Amino acid sequence: MSDFSGKIALVTGAGSGIGRETALFFARAGARVACADINPDALDETLGFIRQKGGDGIAIPADLSTPEACEMVVAKTIEGLGGLHHAFNNAGVAGSFGDRLWDADGIHRTLSINLEAVIWGMKHQIAHMVGNGGGTIVNTASIAGISGNVGTLDYTAAKHGVVGFSKAAAMMYGPQGVRINIVCPGLIQTGMTTIEGRPITEAGLKKLSPVTGQMGEPADIAEAVLWLSSPKSKFVYGVALPVDGGFSIN
Ligand code: NAD
């Protein structure tokens, strides 16, 4: 694991699943971590785990579905911890499905949290990093960001948007010292994939994790995020990295 001592990381969606695990990974690697999430109790729990292991961080409760909230989270990180070196824009919701596939409110919610929050977060993260010696940003897309065969509409649109926006930003801001990449999880065991009444079927597992036939773990994604955030990947720009049990093999 790379050493992130003296570094400050911001993780959104840190109350659960992939975000929580990545916040713990950053803390274990020595970073101080700003943890943002809509769920304050879950955030407190994440901070508790970080402190139990001797780490340090702050909790920033926020509903990231507005540009103002995204700006506030970056400002509170800088104010509370004294800077920002690494951002992981990861908060997300499952898209609209079933009889809500074309529901206008549902589509708006999916796009605002899964795509627009990444855009508005990056706006303020980049502005700070460019003026303060650079940094890294990793955004969570999905296999739905690189394939149209995941069975969702608005979620697929949002995640393709994350990939496209991040690649263009990587090109634009890389020369100014901000290195931007994307992680594309396959099926990972988290709150999002264990929703009651919507269990993953054997056929779904076979389709989405064709090599392993198993869900991945949040730690599989956290490992990739820390690598993409570390100097070990210093020659890697604008990559949409699948971590997906073989889904994207073609
Ligand atoms: P999760 O539900 O465990 O975690 C998502 C977190 O985001 C939760 O803590 C939730 O409270 C937070 N969140 C939701 N809406 C928010 C809002 N408006 N403002 C702030 N925080 C909010 O799910 P996860 O699987 O850990 O998801 C993390 C990311 O990974 C998401 O972007 C998701 O789309 C992506 N992803 C997950 C999978 C998977 O199989 N689990 C696959 C591909 C991509």
Side-chain angles (χ1 to χ4, degrees), residues 35-176:
C35 298
D37 201 285
I38 196 171
N39 183 337
D41 295 338
L43 270 185
D44 284 347
E45 221 174 73
T46 300
L47 258 294
F49 290 138
I50 286 177
R51 290 184 182 130
Q52 258 172 32
K53 301 271 179 198
D56 188 19
I58 56 172
I60 310 177
D63 176 352
L64 288 162
S65 59
T66 66
E68 294 76 22
C70 298
E71 179 174 10
M72 177 276 284
V73 164
V74 176
K76 283 206 166 169
T77 302
I78 295 163
E79 205 181 288
L81 295 178
L84 175 62
H85 305 105
H86 307 287
F88 179 40
N89 295 305
N90 163 78
V93 288
S96 310
F97 54 90
D99 56 9
R100 298 200 62 206
L101 204 56
W102 292 96
D103 179 77
D105 290 342
I107 291 173
H108 174 67
R109 180 165 174 269
T110 303
L111 293 175
S112 65
I113 300 167
N114 290 4
L115 173 58
E116 289 182 37
V118 174
I119 294 174
W120 298 122
M122 283 174 77
K123 176 182 176 189
H124 302 289
Q125 293 153 10
I126 289 168
H128 176 80
M129 288 173 182
V130 165
N132 291 277
T136 68
I137 298 176
V138 178
N139 296 319
T140 303
S142 164
I143 48 175
I146 49 178
S147 164
N149 191 23
V150 180
T152 66
L153 291 178
D154 56 0
Y155 187 83
T156 298
K159 295 301 190 179
H160 271 70
V162 169
V163 171
F165 195 92
S166 305
K167 285 187 175 186
M171 184 61 99
M172 204 171 283
Y173 294 103
Q176 297 178 58

Side-chain angles (χ1 to χ4, degrees), residues 2 19 36 56 64 88 131 140 202 209 244 248:
S2 289
D56 188 19
L64 288 162
F88 179 40
T140 303
E202 276 300 312
S209 298
D244 66 359
S248 57

